[in-house]
Amino acid sequence: MNRQPHTSAREIIVADAIREVVSELRLVDVADYVAYIRLEYFANLSDIVDSAAELYFMPDTLRFGHGGDVDLGWSGEPTVNLDLQLRPKGATVYFTLNMTALKAGVEIGYVALDDPSPDPMENTRFLASALEASKIRRTVPLDI
């Protein structure tokens, strides 16, 4: 697949949007990810993603896609790859989250917009604002 020039900017936007969710996903033991992926217990993976996302996004904004993979060998650290979907109002982003113990990355496969503009930069700005609008806002009580 040919990468579009605007894909990198969108990957940064998605990575920033899910940063806190990734921290939650890392609380799950890597052995569980290995077992669920190898045994194709995708409902379990979906539950994990839903539980992590519900703290930060409106319901059904971030969902598990249809698969995953684990790179696990005798040398090196394991990498967990999860197919995910971000669905803020007006857009759907299909991407893969790659997680190791200390790093994570996002690889966008496809972005679908309900009403796309002919200007890719405008679409990128729309995606950023849609993701921001789909986040849950928490208010901190004042100590009075």
Side-chain angles (χ1 to χ4, degrees):
M1 176 180 359
N2 294 333
R3 285 180 57 89
Q4 300 294 315
H6 47 271
T7 301
S8 294
R10 293 176 184 177
E11 287 174 340
I12 291 169
I13 291 166
V14 169
D16 286 342
I18 67 167
R19 181 179 313 274
E20 295 167 321
V21 175
V22 173
S23 294
E24 295 290 328
L25 292 173
R26 279 202 183 104
L27 295 175
V28 175
D29 191 76
V30 72
D32 292 334
Y33 284 118
V34 171
Y36 296 153
I37 290 170
R38 297 286 186 207
L39 297 172
E40 297 183 0
Y41 289 179
F42 297 132
N44 295 35
L45 292 169
S46 182
D47 288 343
I48 291 169
V49 171
D50 289 347
S51 294
E54 73 184 359
L55 300 171
Y56 304 101
F57 286 103
M58 300 301 288
D60 293 326
T61 300
L62 180 63
R63 300 182 347 182
F64 179 69
H66 296 288
D69 189 24
V70 177
D71 296 328
L72 183 63
W74 291 107
S75 62
E77 64 182 340
T79 302
V80 175
N81 307 302
L82 300 176
D83 293 335
L84 301 175
Q85 297 175 12
L86 263 172
R87 300 178 60 152
K89 186 174 183 176
T92 304
V93 181
Y94 300 91
F95 68 100
T96 301
L97 171 64
N98 308 304
M99 291 187 297
T100 64
L102 300 175
K103 295 189 285 186
V106 169
E107 294 177 34
I108 291 180
Y110 186 73
V111 176
L113 300 173
D114 292 353
D115 189 22
S117 165
D119 178 14
M121 293 304 290
E122 179 61 32
N123 292 332
T124 300
R125 284 189 293 274
F126 173 80
L127 178 62
S129 65
L131 285 171
E132 190 61 33
S134 68
K135 289 185 177 180
I136 293 176
R137 304 286 178 254
R138 302 207 186 277
T139 57
V140 178
L142 298 175
D143 260 338
I144 300 179

